[in-house]
Amino acid sequence: MKKIRWGIIGTGTIAKKFAGTLGYLSDECEFVGVASRSLENAEAFAKQYGAKRAFGSYLELAQSADIDAVYIATPHNSHYENSLLCLKNNKHVLCEKSFTIDVSQAEHLFKQASDNGLFIMEAFWTKFLPAYAEIHKILNSGELGDVVNIAADFGINPPGSRNDRKINPELAGGALYDVGIYVIGITCMLLGYKPERVVSNAVLSEGGVDLSSFYYMQYERGQVALLSSSVEALSRQQAVVQCKNGYIVIDTPHAATGFTVYQNDNKKEYNFPFDFDGFEYQLRHANDCISQGKTASDIMKPQDTIAVLKIMDNMRKEWGMKFPFEI
């Protein structure tokens, strides 16, 4: 298989993690270039992570004939613009979550990619983790009975400038887009992407973004999910899947390396340590899709991304939460 030549737009924490994964999978892909609005930052990043080239603008990277695919690692507000730039320059795209700000942006990107024969996918890495394949297997076996409810939380309180970025309305900050998308996405992975009813509430900052938000999702079969997220308070970061004959506890569910099944008086632990850092599973999948000429993933499907964004769009409407660039 021909090596996929990757570029990265952005030089933050998540870009560094992805660059490390590219190095780990060097037998099937190549880290060719990184772009930043500061050439100096791009050069430092390239030197540290082994990229061949550094670009002082996103356009230069997008126009490079040496790059096949681009990982978008910029703040949420820039995902649509950066992804569209790459697609218009004939590049495949793997874009960080949240894929876009709203459904209309996502639909346009998926259409643009399809029309041009290019691959695009939301980088919701959690969906590719081996632990969830086993959880699905257990739930589908029926040994625990039907799922009754899910409870999940994801609360963080990052220090200093990281927290400033996460609550910056100009960057589409807030708990929903940063960590809430994980508990919503995991619920959809396990119960389906079409809840019958969604009720939510949020504590908004002075800048108008959600510092903490809370979600109730109800499904046609009566299953419910009680979810919470925060960028102002730490939480246990745990998901509990309660079934009629037992339950599953998943610690750090967005980055699950295992889980525990409780049934009657029995307890069984399942361990699925990452091969590297957890990003390798989605990157391998993206490489395979690109090599096979696919325009979309059959795991992280476009309709899955759009379904979650639709839920989030409706939540924001309910809260009256708009970003400055939307007004």
Side-chain angles (χ1 to χ4, degrees), residues 16 35 66 72 85 87 110 118 133 196 245 289 307:
K16 292 172 183 175
D66 298 326
I72 307 297
L85 173 69
L87 292 173
F110 285 126
L118 295 166
E196 189 176 58
N245 301 322
C289 288

Side-chain angles (χ1 to χ4, degrees), residues 12-268:
T13 302
I14 205 76
K16 292 172 183 175
K17 182 171 181 176
F18 190 81
T21 310
L22 286 172
Y24 174 73
L25 294 181
S26 59
D27 59 329
E28 62 184 75
C29 52
E30 185 179 1
F31 185 16
V32 173
V34 59
S36 171
R37 288 170 295 185
S38 160
L39 179 58
E40 184 180 358
N41 287 346
E43 288 174 339
F45 190 102
K47 182 178 180 181
Q48 182 176 358
Y49 292 97
K52 293 181 178 179
R53 297 186 61 187
F55 299 88
S57 77
Y58 301 159
L59 178 61
E60 288 179 73
L61 182 144
Q63 291 179 333
S64 173
D66 298 326
I67 290 173
D68 302 312
V70 181
Y71 174 65
I72 307 297
T74 50
H76 304 131
N77 65 304
S78 300
H79 287 180
Y80 171 74
E81 177 186 354
N82 298 156
S83 296
L84 188 60
L85 173 69
C86 292
L87 292 173
K88 286 184 174 180
N89 283 278
N90 203 38
K91 300 295 184 288
H92 305 287
V93 172
L94 179 62
C95 180
E96 253 310 314
K97 59 84 193 159
S98 171
F99 186 66
T100 56
I101 295 302
D102 57 33
V103 168
S104 63
Q105 289 183 346
E107 289 176 335
H108 185 220
L109 290 181
F110 285 126
K111 185 178 187 305
Q112 182 83 17
S114 179
D115 288 349
N116 289 279
L118 295 166
F119 176 77
I120 190 168
M121 185 182 82
E122 180 178 21
F124 194 74
W125 67 295
T126 305
K127 196 167 188 179
F128 297 88
L129 299 180
Y132 282 101
E134 186 65 21
I135 289 170
H136 278 293
K137 183 178 176 182
I138 291 170
L139 293 177
N140 290 336
S141 75
E143 62 185 90
L144 296 181
D146 293 338
V147 176
V148 176
N149 66 63
I150 293 175
D153 64 88
F154 195 162
I156 60 174
N157 185 16
S161 60
R162 280 198 70 206
N163 191 54
D164 292 341
R165 178 185 64 77
K166 289 182 182 296
I167 63 172
N168 187 340
E170 297 287 352
L171 301 180
L176 177 63
Y177 282 81
D178 202 72
V179 290
I181 190 172
Y182 278 118
V183 292
I184 294 168
I186 289 167
T187 296
C188 290
M189 283 164 50
L190 298 177
L191 295 182
Y193 285 84
K194 293 183 178 180
E196 189 176 58
R197 182 178 178 225
V198 178
V199 179
S200 65
N201 205 345
V203 177
L204 301 183
S205 69
E206 290 183 4
V209 303
D210 61 315
L211 297 173
S212 296
S213 44
F214 312 90
Y215 330 114
Y216 170 89
M217 296 167 61
Q218 183 175 336
Y219 286 78
E220 187 177 3
R221 294 174 59 195
Q223 301 155 313
V224 299
L226 299 171
L227 315 171
S228 66
S229 66
S230 180
V231 288
E232 66 171 349
L234 295 173
S235 75
R236 189 169 183 175
Q237 297 185 18
Q238 186 180 79
V240 180
V241 184
Q242 292 184 279
C243 305
K244 289 189 175 180
N245 301 322
Y247 61 97
I248 301 172
V249 176
I250 313 164
D251 290 320
T252 56
H254 71 291
T257 55
F259 56 91
T260 305
V261 175
Y262 296 84
Q263 188 174 21
N264 300 320
D265 294 326
N266 299 318
K267 169 185 172 182
K268 184 175 181 180

